[in-house]
């Protein structure tokens, strides 16, 4: 096997029956030049978004290896970003798509949105499709790719950025998130400031770092106020409406139910409000509710929801900028970026009735 940087000496049969040099691939050129495959592709297609030094290095290697460009006109192939979710049936997914699309549009880049749904074979089918369309970068949102697919992305030289990683991301993968711990603490501290001492928490999927950070923020706020953490007040959820409905009912069925509930997503908070309504209980007179996300719909809920604003659109914008920079061989300033959250107080919280 030839070492990196060495010209390959294998031969192929030429059209006139003689023997000629083997065709070199873009992947081999990228490896020898020390750049990504999309960067070489941009040079081959005559795009302008490559630094002069990188362009000169790649052009020299293309010439030395006798690489023959396809006959299509320069710039024919569109630059593409793959945006991959586990599911698309959530308003917060729309907010992230909005941010990615804004940056992509400004940059003249196309976007392909996919959902892998944790189904057997779905992620591998997506990878097959990605290879066929020669994507320039991938943004992965709260999803998990098996190690083999991560390795395949690296082999193809396709840069990856992760929003709200599940588990511990690889050290070389840039990740984008929000200050979930601070947001969880702010939401709980707000309820404590109103006089609540029994505060229920409906958590998100434990596999997600953002969900675990919100729970940790809830616990930290209680601890800082000298309020013991009652594990019975922490119930499971999955960020969707139905689990908020179920979790709220579970909390209401306790012998000593809470006077307030912090749900780790707006959708779960809305599910909790519906559970209270069906029991004839009022928000905030009988129960205060806080959510997390600040989706556009919650300002129109009844009552308007107090929540922690997560900058979802800005997270999408930043992820798009980072993945486009990586495709141009520009390293990010930091491997992990967290955008600030903000407590937004509306009408769903008040002092407990007994105070």
């Amino acid at each position: 096997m030839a070492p990196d940087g060495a010209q390959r000496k294998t031969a192929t049969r030429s059209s006139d029956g003689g023997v000629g040099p083997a065709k070199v691939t873009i992947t081999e050129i990228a490896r020898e030049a020390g750049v990504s495959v999309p960067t070489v592709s941009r040079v081959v297609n005559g795009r302008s978004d490559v630094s002069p030094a990188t362009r000169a290095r790649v052009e020299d290697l293309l010439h030395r290896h006798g690489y023959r460009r396809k006959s299509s006109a320069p710039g024919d192939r569109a630059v593409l970003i793959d945006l991959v979710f586990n599911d698309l049936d959530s308003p917060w997914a729309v907010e992230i798509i909005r941010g990615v699309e804004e940056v992509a549009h400004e940059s003249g880049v196309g976007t392909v949105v996919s959902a892998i749904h944790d189904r057997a074979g779905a992620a591998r089918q997506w990878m097959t499709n990605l290879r066929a369309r020669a994507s320039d970068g991938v943004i992965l949102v709260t999803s998990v790719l098996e190690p083999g697919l991560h390795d395949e992305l690296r082999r193809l030289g396709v840069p990856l950025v992760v929003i709200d990683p599940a588990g511990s991301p690889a050290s070389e993968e840039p990740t984008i998130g929000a200050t979930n711990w601070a947001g969880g603490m702010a939401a709980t501290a707000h309820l404590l400031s109103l006089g609540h001492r029994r505060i229920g928490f409906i958590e998100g999927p434990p596999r997600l770092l953002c969900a675990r950070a919100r729970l940790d923020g809830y616990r930290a706020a209680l601890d800082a106020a000298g309020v013991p953490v009652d594990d019975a007040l922490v119930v499971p959820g999955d960020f969707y409406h139905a689990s908020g409905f179920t979790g709220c009912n579970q909390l209401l069925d306790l012998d000593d139910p809470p006077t307030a509930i912090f749900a780790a997503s707006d959708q779960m908070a809305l599910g909790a409000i519906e559970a209270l309504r069906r029991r004839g209980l009022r928000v905030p007179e009988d129960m205060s509710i806080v959510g997390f996300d600040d989706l556009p719909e919650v300002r129109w809920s009844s009552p308007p929801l107090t929540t922690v604003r997560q900058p979802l659109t800005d997270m999408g914008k930043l992820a798009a900028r980072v993945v486009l920079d990586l495709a141009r061989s520009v390293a990010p300033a930091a491997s992990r970026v967290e955008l600030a959250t903000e407590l937004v107080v509306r009408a769903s919280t008040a002092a407990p009735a007994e105070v």
Side-chain angles (χ1 to χ4, degrees):
M1 182 174 183
D4 287 348
Q7 186 168 347
R8 297 173 184 261
K9 301 296 186 180
T10 54
T12 57
R13 183 69 54 186
S14 66
S15 59
D16 61 1
V19 175
K23 293 181 180 179
V24 70
T25 67
I26 283 182
T27 300
E28 291 166 329
I29 294 290
R31 185 184 301 114
E32 191 169 341
V35 299
S36 68
V37 171
T39 297
V40 176
S41 178
R42 287 186 177 86
V43 174
V44 169
N45 288 314
R47 290 183 58 88
S48 61
D49 50 351
V50 180
S51 71
T54 298
R55 180 181 300 280
R57 185 164 73 254
V58 172
E59 288 280 12
D60 179 64
L61 286 167
L62 292 170
H63 175 73
R64 285 200 282 122
H65 283 289
Y67 182 86
R68 297 182 63 184
R69 288 171 166 85
K70 294 180 181 179
S71 60
S72 57
D76 277 354
R77 188 181 75 78
V79 180
L80 293 174
I81 295 175
D82 263 67
L83 179 56
V84 184
F85 295 85
N86 187 51
D87 290 295
L88 288 171
D89 54 350
S90 171
W92 60 259
V94 174
E95 296 304 305
I96 291 175
I97 292 170
R98 192 191 314 278
V100 172
E101 279 287 341
E102 183 173 327
V103 170
H105 178 73
E106 291 171 353
S107 305
V109 173
T111 306
V112 179
V113 180
S114 305
I116 57 177
H117 302 292
D118 283 341
R119 290 194 304 258
R124 289 198 171 277
Q125 181 60 53
W126 164 75
M127 177 63 77
T128 299
N129 296 338
L130 177 137
R131 281 194 295 264
R133 59 179 167 261
S135 184
D136 296 85
V138 173
I139 300 172
L140 189 67
V141 187
T142 63
S143 300
V144 180
L145 289 183
E146 56 191 86
L149 297 184
H150 278 278
D151 293 341
E152 179 70 1
L153 285 176
R154 282 192 288 270
R155 189 186 70 78
L156 293 172
V158 178
L160 172 66
V161 175
V162 183
I163 296 178
D164 279 340
S168 299
S171 58
E172 69 273 14
E173 292 172 358
T175 62
I176 310 294
T179 53
N180 290 287
W181 183 89
M185 190 168 187
T188 310
H190 168 66
L191 293 170
L192 289 165
S193 73
L194 293 173
H196 296 279
R197 291 299 177 266
R198 286 190 62 76
I199 301 171
F201 182 76
I202 307 175
E203 60 183 335
R207 68 184 180 87
L208 297 181
L209 294 180
C210 60
R212 298 205 297 269
R214 292 170 200 179
L215 173 59
D216 289 344
Y218 161 82
R219 293 180 180 275
L222 293 176
D223 183 66
V227 176
V229 176
D230 184 348
D231 289 337
L233 292 176
V234 179
V235 297
D238 61 8
F239 285 162
Y240 293 99
H241 293 91
S243 66
F245 181 89
T246 301
C248 181
N249 280 319
Q250 186 176 337
L251 291 168
L252 292 173
D253 288 338
L254 294 173
D255 291 336
D256 186 10
T259 61
I261 294 174
F262 169 28
S265 77
D266 284 349
Q267 288 182 281
M268 292 196 302
L270 295 176
I273 289 174
E274 177 60 17
L276 292 164
R277 186 191 68 79
R278 294 192 189 186
R279 292 197 182 206
L281 299 174
R282 301 164 300 164
V283 178
E285 292 85 355
D286 300 310
M287 181 79 71
S288 286
I289 300 287
V290 178
F292 201 110
D293 285 328
D294 196 28
L295 299 174
E297 67 207 64
V298 301
R299 69 193 66 182
W300 304 107
S301 63
S302 182
L305 184 67
T306 294
T307 187
V308 176
R309 177 176 294 150
Q310 183 176 201
L312 295 166
T313 300
D314 288 340
M315 289 161 63
K317 289 180 183 178
L318 180 58
R321 292 189 185 108
V322 171
V323 83
L324 288 174
D325 280 345
L326 288 170
R328 300 173 185 126
S329 300
V330 178
S335 61
R336 170 69 178 171
V337 177
E338 291 188 346
L339 302 184
T341 53
E342 176 189 1
L343 180 70
V344 180
V345 178
R346 297 194 181 100
S348 67
T349 51
E354 64 268 27
V355 173

